[in-house]
Amino acid sequence: MISIPAKGTPERDALIAEHRRCVDSMKGVAGFSVLYCTTPGDTTDVSGGVHEHPDLRRILLRMRGESPAAGKLVIVCTRIEKEWRIARLSGIRGVPPTFVNDKVYDDEQEIQHDIFLMRLDELPADAGMPEHFHDGWKRKDDNWPVT
């Protein structure tokens, strides 16, 4: 399996550039997908992104496969349809997420790209390797009653 590209490599720069291209083309579209709109803001003709860039698709799948508990980056809407901020989950039920910085976004798409960059920096080079997978969510050390 291929490792995550290191900082400063052409492969990593290409991933970031393709993600940026998709983000810019999705402005004005509700929600978010890593796809390239031929006409910005119009999803009737999409290409690029995860359809045509296998390394970007692989990286996004690995990011989504990481443990969702403590430390996961999330988007928090601070003013409905107007302002968003990046926060980090505590991993403890009832404990609210904490904001990672003071930056306030007025565009849903821009915050997605910044989270992508933050997660790419935090993702270990060997993330998603087969040796890191386990038998599943019902392992005996997951506090499930043994039957």
Side-chain angles (χ1 to χ4, degrees), residues 6-7 20 32 37 40 44 46 63 65 71 75 79 92 105 108 110 119 126-127 131 138:
K7 276 187 175 182
R20 165 52 66 197
F32 182 74
C37 300
T44 54
V46 294
M63 284 179 176
I75 297 172
R79 284 185 54 213
I92 302 168
Y105 297 83
E108 279 184 282
E110 284 303 314
R119 292 181 78 188
D126 62 350
E131 59 268 18
K138 278 198 170 183

Side-chain angles (χ1 to χ4, degrees), residues 30-31 77-84 105-108:
C77 181
T78 52
R79 284 185 54 213
I80 298 172
E81 301 293 327
K82 295 189 186 318
E83 289 182 0
W84 297 268
Y105 297 83
D106 60 359
D107 181 346
E108 279 184 282

Side-chain angles (χ1 to χ4, degrees), residues 54-74:
D55 289 339
L56 181 58
R57 181 175 50 246
R58 179 177 48 83
I59 297 297
L60 289 170
L61 285 172
R62 287 188 186 178
M63 284 179 176
R64 292 173 184 146
E66 289 292 297
S67 175
K72 182 176 181 179
L73 294 167
V74 294

